[in-house]
Amino acid sequence: MVSAEESFEIICRGAEEILLKEELLERLKLGKPLRVKAGFDPTAPDLHLGHAVLLTKMRQFQDLGHHVMFLIGDFTGMIGDPSGKNETRPPLTREQVLENAETYRKQVFKILDPDKTQILFNSEWMDKFTSADLIKLAATHTVARMLERDDFHKRYTSGQSIAIHEFLYPLLMGYDSVVMKADIELGGTDQKFNLLMGRELQKHFKQKPQTVIMLPLLPGLDGIKKMSKSLGNYIGIDESAEDIFGKIMSISDETMWLYFELISRRSLTELKELREKVSAGMNPRDIKFLLAEEIVERFHNREEAIRARENFIARFREGALPENMPEVQVSAGENGISILHVIKAAGLTTSTSEAGRMIEQGAVRIDNERVTDKSTLLHSGKEIILQVGKRRFAKVVLS
Amino acid sequence: MVSAEESFEIICRGAEEILLKEELLERLKLGKPLRVKAGFDPTAPDLHLGHAVLLTKMRQFQDLGHHVMFLIGDFTGMIGDPSGKNETRPPLTREQVLENAETYRKQVFKILDPDKTQILFNSEWMDKFTSADLIKLAATHTVARMLERDDFHKRYTSGQSIAIHEFLYPLLMGYDSVVMKADIELGGTDQKFNLLMGRELQKHFKQKPQTVIMLPLLPGLDGIKKMSKSLGNYIGIDESAEDIFGKIMSISDETMWLYFELISRRSLTELKELREKVSAGMNPRDIKFLLAEEIVERFHNREEAIRARENFIARFREGALPENMPEVQVSAGENGISILHVIKAAGLTTSTSEAGRMIEQGAVRIDNERVTDKSTLLHSGKEIILQVGKRRFAKVVLS
């Protein structure tokens, strides 16, 4: 049995904002299963690791014994974009909605527990919601309140048009919470306004308002921009074991820790231990192996994860690393040492200025990651693989 | 058979604005019955002469052979004010709507031809209009367009709240025109935005947009403020013959001509002749008798009209006028004569300064109308009853 305080810690993990935290703790203390809502768009069922942040949080709720509701917002999906301006949003047929739901199901059950997941379609209640009901719902909020939403505010003040039905959608999303009697709603930080609408409408309908848990947007492979299909910096849930493994191995150490926090099932205690190992000198690359294995195991299985790791190591050895690399020891001093000096010291160029030119040409890599900044400093206590051009390698021990 | 040009003149009579006039003429030239829409509120069926302006225009269309549709907007009436702020607009039941419709019927058929009037309730089609339909309708217009409406604009910029459903109502009113395939919509000038919404939605639904005819607001008995129940300056359609007659006799000459133009069934030619008679010296009061008789006859019958006139004259004689009044002839000269001099010349005061004081005290009347301006000039060619205090009278012939 997990205590309310332990549950609270698990649920707060990685959350960017919780409204209200004290409400959440109170609810957990009741010791009853909570009704947890998360809404999904019925048009784009191709999921990537960014979606896994939300799904992982849902899974945590399931593991703690709560009731998780996976809501597919098919009602508006079947309307499409009524203005006709957005050609990427044609109205969906009921068949397409069910087909997309099936695609979702295949993917999300790699993370969620199928036995503990209720899949809902909001057309179930919205098809019975009359235009008179909608008018009454619209009367609960003011135009000014709606124009407070960031994107509406920006569009209105910059003279970009907002069609009136766009004011109705947040209300409909909030109304779903009323029908579903949600105790908790999960969503991205970009959904804050809509999530709070659920709270307001529940109050209007004399329900206890849902606690809103906002999760951060996962950065993509570049570690900077949010993961998205259109930016190409994503890891698809349906990708091959090898691709997922390789992509995770390509992220920066910093991004790795974020992924650990947001999508790993390792406990916070375990993560703390891993960080301590790195501080004690363990190569972060070896920790990244653990993350890549965990994710591949989740989306495929244990055997695939082991095979993907072996293949990755083999390819790394064959393709990129020569069997016998020269090993050089370089003293980094207290303040670190310029990469230009390390390249020259390792004998990979004859001068620091040549080293600089190679960096400018994008020909220098450390642990297979390209170096773009000539002023990069390297610090003591690490062992790196330094590469210049295609064939010049050195293992450098920074002391 | 009336020509298109003659019809056009009749229909343009009294209209404050027509959008578009050339469209109207084109439509009339087709020689086919036009579908004429006018919308009425289902909550307040107590009609007064202000409503008669619209009904008179509808009657003109009927007399010209067109199809007149009397629309009762019961759909939103049955919703009431969903914000609950307006306690004077509780949701109506279907029974109340039908009851109000019956009250309407009794009154409006005093003006409209019952055989040529189609009474419609918009709940007939709106009850089948789904929330998805409403969302699509809302998508046809932008928030910015809606905030162009005068009252919305004022409220928004002054920080008064606008509930979102208020943006939906003009769209619903416009949609009625689509369903009714209206060629013409009649309304007050205060309804311009909503009437134009009908045009826009008809275009959206690939119909020829309705021609909008805006009628002025009828001034009340005071001749200044618009006729309204709350201001108490109204003539109810259901009032007694005597009350209607007396109230019409109390309006100013200027207001009388406006009433003639907007609610009399006398032709423009006849009105022109009446004006000429007054110019030639006829007492406008006698013309007012004609208006009062016509209106009473319309709302009651010919006999009642005659009786009301006789009673009015009798009361006027008994109560206000002594049997034998002194008759005085006063020369007004080319530029008119000061009322102060006329009062003294008629022997009603001993000096012009006393006459001035009596005016200040509100004790002077001409033809039973109080004189408030000491600098009033009277002109030649008129016969007036001059009264000072309760008992001093004189018939003055201005030459």
Side-chain angles (χ1 to χ4, degrees):
Chain A
M1 210 25 218
V2 184
S3 75
E5 285 73 15
E6 283 166 322
S7 289
F8 183 69
E9 197 189 349
I10 290 168
I11 290 165
C12 289
R13 169 175 174 178
E16 185 132 330
E17 194 176 357
I18 295 178
L19 295 168
L20 303 163
K21 268 198 169 187
E22 51 274 28
E23 257 178 32
L24 175 63
L25 186 56
E26 259 172 48
R27 282 187 141 120
L28 291 169
K29 279 183 178 166
L30 295 176
K32 288 193 292 189
L34 298 173
R35 299 176 63 81
V36 182
K37 170 196 174 194
F40 291 81
D41 184 344
T43 48
D46 254 352
L47 300 185
H48 55 62
L49 226 55
H51 301 102
V53 176
L54 195 59
L55 294 166
T56 302
K57 187 57 68 188
M58 290 164 83
R59 176 63 192 241
Q60 288 163 357
F61 272 104
Q62 290 183 324
D63 291 345
L64 291 167
H66 299 290
H67 180 74
V68 165
M69 300 176 286
F70 185 97
L71 175 68
I72 298 181
D74 65 332
F75 174 70
T76 49
M78 288 190 283
I79 294 173
D81 171 32
S83 71
K85 278 178 197 154
N86 191 340
E87 288 175 12
T88 62
R89 297 200 57 186
L92 300 177
T93 62
R94 197 165 294 273
E95 288 66 41
Q96 285 170 316
V97 166
L98 292 175
E99 205 174 285
N100 289 348
E102 197 45 47
T103 312
Y104 261 134
R105 214 183 292 258
K106 276 184 203 145
Q107 298 171 81
V108 300
F109 287 155
K110 291 179 176 176
I111 299 178
L112 298 180
D113 181 340
D115 297 334
K116 293 180 181 167
T117 307
Q118 183 184 12
I119 295 189
L120 292 158
F121 298 86
N122 67 353
S123 61
E124 195 188 315
W125 50 87
M126 286 312 301
D127 283 350
K128 291 173 208 137
F129 195 75
T130 67
S131 49
D133 292 331
L134 183 53
I135 289 169
K136 287 178 206 162
L137 189 67
T140 61
H141 281 79
T142 65
V143 170
R145 171 81 180 91
M146 216 45 89
L147 284 174
E148 281 169 16
R149 198 173 91 172
D150 267 359
D151 58 336
F152 286 152
H153 179 75
K154 272 182 207 140
R155 283 162 65 193
Y156 186 69
T157 50
S158 71
Q160 288 175 67
S161 74
I162 304 165
I164 294 167
H165 76 287
E166 296 185 68
F167 276 10
L168 301 176
Y169 282 3
L171 293 167
L172 295 179
M173 289 172 68
Y175 183 70
D176 288 337
S177 293
V178 174
V179 177
M180 294 165 75
K181 297 190 176 65
D183 295 308
I184 309 274
E185 183 165 3
L186 307 177
T189 47
D190 55 339
Q191 289 293 309
K192 183 170 181 174
F193 183 92
N194 295 340
L195 295 167
L196 291 181
M197 200 51 78
R199 276 179 75 85
E200 292 175 18
L201 284 175
Q202 283 178 314
K203 277 182 220 167
H204 177 80
F205 285 95
K206 315 284 181 220
Q207 290 183 12
K208 185 171 172 182
Q210 65 187 11
T211 301
V212 161
I213 301 179
M214 282 166 275
L215 298 161
L217 299 172
L218 192 76
L221 300 174
D222 50 60
I224 298 162
K225 289 178 182 140
K226 74 162 191 169
M227 182 174 284
S228 90
K229 216 168 171 181
S230 57
L231 292 174
N233 62 353
Y234 70 102
I235 301 175
I237 285 184
D238 256 358
E239 287 191 68
S240 73
E242 291 216 339
D243 285 345
I244 294 176
F245 202 100
K247 282 184 176 181
I248 289 180
M249 290 310 294
S250 78
I251 64 177
S252 72
D253 295 353
E254 204 187 327
T255 305
M256 171 186 78
W257 291 118
L258 211 50
Y259 280 27
F260 261 121
E261 185 180 18
L262 293 172
I263 53 181
S264 166
R265 299 191 67 185
R266 283 176 197 270
S267 71
L268 291 173
T269 317
E270 283 176 279
L271 296 193
K272 198 165 161 248
E273 285 165 8
L274 292 177
R275 277 184 188 270
E276 281 164 3
K277 281 185 188 164
V278 171
S279 300
M282 188 171 174
N283 191 331
R285 197 175 5 131
D286 296 332
I287 309 284
K288 218 171 282 173
F289 270 114
L290 296 177
L291 179 68
E293 272 176 57
E294 183 189 340
I295 302 300
V296 174
E297 184 176 342
R298 181 158 339 138
F299 295 158
H300 294 275
N301 54 47
R302 178 96 202 110
E303 291 69 44
E304 290 258 34
I306 293 167
R307 196 178 312 135
R309 185 188 58 194
E310 282 168 357
N311 285 344
F312 180 84
I313 293 169
R315 256 187 304 134
F316 192 67
R317 274 211 196 98
E318 285 168 18
L321 296 182
E323 282 289 331
N324 295 307
M325 266 185 287
E327 191 171 322
V328 196
Q329 184 141 348
V330 179
S331 166
E334 267 188 37
N335 302 314
I337 179 169
S338 153
I339 186 161
L340 303 178
H341 286 109
V342 176
I343 293 169
K344 178 164 178 275
L348 301 179
T349 60
T350 51
S351 66
T352 55
S353 56
E354 191 197 342
R357 278 194 303 278
M358 296 309 280
I359 288 176
E360 279 170 10
Q361 291 164 24
V364 174
R365 287 172 180 266
I366 293 177
D367 291 340
N368 207 28
E369 268 188 77
R370 180 168 289 140
V371 176
T372 53
D373 182 359
K374 285 195 287 186
S375 63
T376 301
L377 288 181
L378 300 177
H379 297 274
S380 61
K382 278 191 194 161
E383 197 184 291
I384 59 169
I385 307 289
L386 191 58
Q387 178 183 4
V388 175
K390 287 216 170 161
R391 299 182 199 283
R392 280 174 274 169
F393 286 89
K395 179 180 279 182
V396 179
V397 180
L398 292 153
S399 59
Chain B
M1 206 31 213
V2 184
S3 75
E5 285 73 15
E6 285 167 319
S7 289
F8 184 69
E9 198 190 349
I10 291 168
I11 290 165
C12 289
R13 169 175 172 177
E16 185 133 330
E17 194 176 357
I18 295 178
L19 296 168
L20 304 167
K21 269 198 169 187
E22 51 273 29
E23 255 178 35
L24 175 62
L25 186 57
E26 260 172 47
R27 282 186 142 120
L28 292 169
K29 280 183 177 164
L30 295 176
K32 287 193 291 188
L34 297 173
R35 300 176 61 81
V36 181
K37 170 194 175 195
F40 291 80
D41 184 343
T43 49
D46 254 352
L47 301 185
H48 55 61
L49 227 56
H51 301 100
V53 176
L54 195 59
L55 294 166
T56 303
K57 187 58 70 190
M58 291 164 83
R59 176 63 192 242
Q60 288 163 358
F61 272 104
Q62 291 183 323
D63 291 343
L64 292 166
H66 299 290
H67 180 74
V68 165
M69 299 177 285
F70 185 97
L71 175 67
I72 297 181
D74 65 331
F75 174 70
T76 49
M78 289 190 285
I79 295 172
D81 172 33
S83 71
K85 278 180 199 154
N86 191 340
E87 288 174 11
T88 62
R89 297 201 59 183
L92 300 178
T93 62
R94 197 167 293 275
E95 288 67 39
Q96 284 170 316
V97 166
L98 292 175
E99 206 174 287
N100 290 348
E102 197 44 46
T103 313
Y104 260 133
R105 214 183 292 257
K106 277 184 204 148
Q107 299 171 82
V108 301
F109 288 155
K110 291 178 176 177
I111 300 177
L112 298 180
D113 181 341
D115 296 334
K116 292 180 179 167
T117 307
Q118 184 183 13
I119 295 189
L120 292 159
F121 298 88
N122 67 353
S123 61
E124 195 188 313
W125 50 89
M126 287 312 300
D127 284 349
K128 292 173 207 135
F129 195 76
T130 67
S131 51
D133 292 330
L134 183 53
I135 289 169
K136 286 177 206 160
L137 189 67
T140 61
H141 282 79
T142 66
V143 171
R145 172 81 181 91
M146 215 45 88
L147 284 174
E148 281 168 18
R149 198 173 92 170
D150 266 0
D151 58 335
F152 286 153
H153 180 75
K154 272 182 208 141
R155 283 161 64 191
Y156 186 68
T157 49
S158 71
Q160 287 174 66
S161 74
I162 304 165
I164 294 165
H165 75 289
E166 296 184 67
F167 277 10
L168 302 175
Y169 281 3
L171 294 166
L172 295 179
M173 289 172 69
Y175 183 69
D176 288 336
S177 293
V178 174
V179 176
M180 294 165 75
K181 297 190 177 65
D183 295 309
I184 310 275
E185 182 164 4
L186 307 178
T189 46
D190 54 339
Q191 290 292 309
K192 183 169 181 173
F193 184 92
N194 296 340
L195 296 167
L196 292 179
M197 200 50 80
R199 277 179 74 86
E200 291 174 18
L201 285 174
Q202 284 177 314
K203 277 183 219 166
H204 178 81
F205 285 95
K206 314 285 182 220
Q207 288 181 15
K208 186 170 172 185
Q210 65 188 11
T211 301
V212 162
I213 301 180
M214 281 166 276
L215 297 161
L217 300 172
L218 192 75
L221 300 174
D222 50 59
I224 298 163
K225 289 177 182 144
K226 73 161 191 169
M227 183 173 284
S228 90
K229 215 166 172 183
S230 57
L231 292 175
N233 62 353
Y234 69 103
I235 301 175
I237 284 184
D238 256 357
E239 287 191 68
S240 74
E242 292 215 340
D243 285 347
I244 295 177
F245 202 99
K247 282 184 177 181
I248 290 181
M249 289 311 294
S250 78
I251 62 177
S252 72
D253 296 354
E254 204 188 327
T255 306
M256 171 186 77
W257 291 118
L258 210 51
Y259 281 26
F260 262 121
E261 184 179 19
L262 294 172
I263 54 181
S264 166
R265 299 190 67 185
R266 284 174 197 273
S267 71
L268 291 173
T269 316
E270 283 175 277
L271 296 191
K272 202 170 156 241
E273 286 164 8
L274 292 177
R275 276 183 189 269
E276 282 162 4
K277 282 186 189 163
V278 171
S279 301
M282 188 172 173
N283 191 331
R285 199 179 359 135
D286 297 331
I287 311 283
K288 218 172 282 172
F289 271 112
L290 297 177
L291 179 67
E293 272 175 57
E294 181 188 341
I295 302 300
V296 174
E297 183 177 342
R298 183 161 335 139
F299 296 159
H300 295 275
N301 55 49
R302 178 95 201 109
E303 289 69 45
E304 290 256 36
I306 293 168
R307 196 178 310 136
R309 186 189 57 195
E310 283 167 358
N311 286 344
F312 181 83
I313 294 169
R315 256 187 303 136
F316 193 66
R317 275 210 197 101
E318 285 165 21
L321 297 181
E323 281 291 330
N324 295 307
M325 264 186 286
E327 192 173 322
V328 196
Q329 184 142 347
V330 178
S331 165
E334 269 190 33
N335 301 315
I337 179 170
S338 151
I339 186 162
L340 302 177
H341 286 108
V342 176
I343 292 169
K344 180 167 175 273
L348 301 178
T349 60
T350 50
S351 66
T352 53
S353 57
E354 193 199 340
R357 280 195 302 277
M358 295 311 278
I359 290 177
E360 279 171 8
Q361 291 164 24
V364 175
R365 287 172 180 265
I366 292 176
D367 291 341
N368 207 29
E369 272 189 71
R370 179 168 290 141
V371 177
T372 52
D373 185 358
K374 285 194 287 186
S375 62
T376 302
L377 289 181
L378 302 176
H379 297 274
S380 62
K382 278 189 193 163
E383 196 184 291
I384 59 168
I385 306 290
L386 192 59
Q387 178 182 3
V388 175
K390 285 212 171 161
R391 297 183 201 284
R392 278 173 275 169
F393 286 90
K395 182 180 279 182
V396 179
V397 180
L398 293 152
S399 61

